[in-house]
Structure formats: structure tokens, C-alpha cells
Amino acid sequence: MTSNKWMIKNGHFAVNGQDAGVIEGCMIIEDSRITYIGPTIPDGEENTPVVDGKGLLFLPGLVNTHGHAAMSLLRGYGDDMVLQQWLQEKMWPMEGKFTSTDVYWGTSLSVLEMLKGGTTTFLDMYDHMDEVAKVAEQSGIRACLMRGAIGLCSEEEQRMKLNEAVAFAKNWHGKADGRITTMMSPHSPYTCPPAFIEQFVQAAHDLNLPLHTHMSETLAEVEQNVREYGARPVEHLQKLGFFSRPSLVAHAVHLNDEEIQVLAQYDVGVSHNPGSNLKLASGVARVPDLLRAGVKVSLGTDGPASNNNLDMFEEMRLAALIHKGVSGDPTAVPAAEALRMTTEYGAVSIGLKEVGVLAAGNKADFIALDMDQPHFLPRTDLISHAVYSASAKDVVHVWVDGKQVLKDGSCLTLDEERIRYEAQAAFEGLLAR
């Protein structure tokens, strides 16, 4: 079988690592991988098919490390509310009506939005996960998927949810040419009894999979954990063995110094969701302190009902800005670090070692931004422009695993018109039930 080999020349490429910055030159892709990136075309490649990258800034594909994609159907349905009231009065009653078809079209709407905005990998914790996996497989996106489980139910229902989570992980891990990976995911310490969490930890050991959960999103949640279990969430999860597996926690807004050290000790990743945390007034996570302690901090949008978009450029900009404002330190999260949080750190946090950096040998997950626009001039610092000036609307092309999935702003793998129609119809169906 002949390989599919091609090159981009005349492009500007953002590279991470020790030589972080932008190089002008050429990148060669063969099948699903980058085989070369540098300022000049290597000898012997003169006849390789060429894509002209003039006027384009190429970034690693953005990695969204926490979300609930199907909740796009509830975008705008409940806003400007406290988290628990929002969940109990608006979200959970509507989510209880979701069918597998609703999840399919809600996820399709989100994946379409993510691809058009330059997100090439997303993490999703939800129900009806077979539908989410089908969308990931069809769309060409990379996905880390898990059946999230709330344990506030009978033991029989808990067993059913755990069995569903295990079956999903077994059925889908490594599928879609390796683009789909899985994790085990009890919803949170405040919605899952300790024994239920321990069962998920054991299942993660049995399946050799990482763990993911919501943790310390609100002060009320932390206080509840202390009342019910005599420990703050980090100590509570530590006692339950949660950190004995590679793990990623979402939010981690309310942490003390000791908890930050525990997360660093166990190499626990934190998915920072600045937009959602601000909208729900949950607080501002101690990201500069986490980074200083050596904790891998990535970025997530959370669900599109609490954000309310899936624009990872917006999250990146927020992450770079709010910690400056809160700390009084303009160097708290520099632009280059914010970009790494959105790409490299996100990939590492979900166990993807060959994603998140434009480098020879890595997977060819990358995006192209149109630089021929007023807000990209003058050409001073393109990393700065990508973080402080750009938005999802600047993305014109997207490749995942070496395959182009977005061209000139149009998705090549999904029927956008039908998805828009079906998503609106699904929401109206939920209201009518």
C-alpha cells in the first residue's frame, strides 16, 4: 500500500517545547504523522505534493479536556443561576428526558462547533455514550470518552451504571483507528457514595484505564464533603484510592496549599474551565500556584449549557487574562503557557503522548488560522496574537490523524445543515415531553 505523503510550505508553524515559538517554513505529513518540520524543504522532497500555507498560522489542534457535548441541546435554557439550582431545577429534569437520539444530535452539534473552532480532541463524560462514540468515529475528531455515573440511586442502579461504564470502555477503547480512547468516571465526590467511587477505581485498575471526575468546583461542595465525610475532596479521593490511577479532575477551584501538593505528588491533572466557572460564579482556580507546583493544568469548556460556547480560543484567552487580574501579576500565565495548556498539557492530561505538539513523529493533528486579517497585524509575536487576538472564527482548515476534516471553514465529514435542523428539533421534542 502506498503512503499518503504531502507537505505544507510557506506556512508559519507554532512549535512548543524548549524551542517554543513560530518558525516559517515547511511541514511534511505522511499518513497520520508529521515526518518533518523546519525552515527549508529537505533534499529529495522536491516532488512531494504541496499545499501552500502562505498567510496561514498552523497550531497544534486544540484539546478540550472537560465537557458534556450533548448538553448543547440545553444551551441558553438555564442561565445566570447558582450551580446547584441550575442543575436541580433546569439541567437534571431535562437531561432525564434525553434519549439516545437526543444525545446523538446534541453531540453532533457540539463536535461540528468544535471542529469549526479548531478543537481536534475532546473529552466527554455523559450518558448514552455509544452515540457520542459514533459521532466521534464519523466526524474524524479525536475523543477521550467515558460513561459518567451519578451514584445517588439504588445499589441495583449503581451496578447497572458501573456495568455500562465498563462495557463502554471495553467496546470503544482504541476504536476509530485509535482516535477514541476511554476512561472511568464517577461523576463527583458529592454525587457518588464512597463505595461507588471505590468500585470505579477498581474497574480502572482492572481495565488499565485513567480516571476522571468533577472535584471542588464550588465552596459549598467542599463544605458538604467535610460535613459528610470529615475530609475535603482531595483527601477524600486520596483515601478512596482515586489517585492510585492516572487521573484528571475537572475544576479544582477551591484548593488549599496542602491539596495542591497532594495533586502534584500524585501527578493528578487539572482541567481548568475558566468560562464555565466564571458564568456559574464558582470562583477562580489557583492556576499559577498549580503550575508552580508542577501540576499539569489543561483547559476545558465544560458543557455548552454552562459556558455557553465551545470556543477554546476564548478559554485560552480567559486563562491568560483572569489570573493576571486576580493575582496582580501580569506574568502569571504568559501567552505561550496558555497555548501549551490548550494543546500539549491537554494531550498529556488524557494520556495522549503523540498529540499536542507540532513535531516530527507526532500525530498530524493541526489547524490553520487565517492571518490575513487586521487583528493579526503587525506581525510582531504570532503566539501572542493566537492567544490574545484570535478566535474560533479564524480557523479555516483542520486536520486530525493526517486527514483534513475542515476545509475553508466547511466541515468535510458532517452534514452541517442537517445537524442544525435535527438539533433544534431535538430541543423542541424535549420541551414537548
Side-chain angles (χ1 to χ4, degrees), residues 24-104:
E24 187 173 358
C26 156
M27 185 164 73
I28 298 176
I29 297 91
E30 188 166 358
D31 296 326
S32 66
R33 294 188 181 274
I34 298 166
T35 58
Y36 170 84
I37 183 165
T40 58
I41 297 174
D43 292 340
E45 300 291 352
E46 293 79 7
N47 296 323
T48 301
V50 168
V51 170
D52 190 359
K54 186 180 180 186
L56 298 176
L57 173 62
F58 293 87
L59 304 177
L62 309 185
V63 181
N64 184 345
T65 59
H66 183 69
H68 316 283
M71 291 183 77
S72 60
L73 295 187
L74 301 179
R75 189 191 333 252
Y77 178 68
D79 287 332
D80 308 322
M81 300 172 72
V82 175
L83 175 63
Q84 290 304 321
Q85 180 191 16
W86 175 77
L87 286 171
Q88 292 167 7
E89 295 179 14
K90 288 290 189 176
M91 295 299 110
W92 288 345
M94 284 290 270
E95 287 179 298
K97 303 178 188 179
F98 271 40
T99 64
S100 58
T101 302
D102 294 327
V103 170
Y104 178 85

Side-chain angles (χ1 to χ4, degrees), residues 104 107-115 119-120 122 131-143 176 179-180 398-400 403-406 411-415 419:
Y104 178 85
T107 302
S108 297
L109 185 65
S110 285
V111 169
L112 179 65
E113 181 182 348
M114 285 190 277
L115 287 176
T119 295
T120 56
F122 77 108
E131 302 303 314
V132 179
K134 287 175 191 172
V135 176
E137 188 171 42
Q138 293 160 1
S139 67
I141 201 168
R142 196 177 298 281
R179 284 186 289 104
I180 295 176
V398 173
W399 289 263
V400 184
K403 297 183 177 69
Q404 189 164 13
V405 293
L406 190 84
C411 190
L412 304 178
T413 54
L414 296 171
D415 184 339
I419 289 170

Side-chain angles (χ1 to χ4, degrees), residues 112 116 395-398 406-411 416:
L112 179 65
K116 287 170 74 77
V395 176
V396 284
H397 309 301
V398 173
L406 190 84
K407 185 175 183 179
D408 297 320
S410 295
C411 190
E416 180 169 354

Side-chain angles (χ1 to χ4, degrees), residues 285-297:
R286 295 175 59 184
V287 167
D289 292 335
L290 285 162
L291 291 169
R292 271 193 294 272
V295 176
K296 276 286 183 293
V297 182

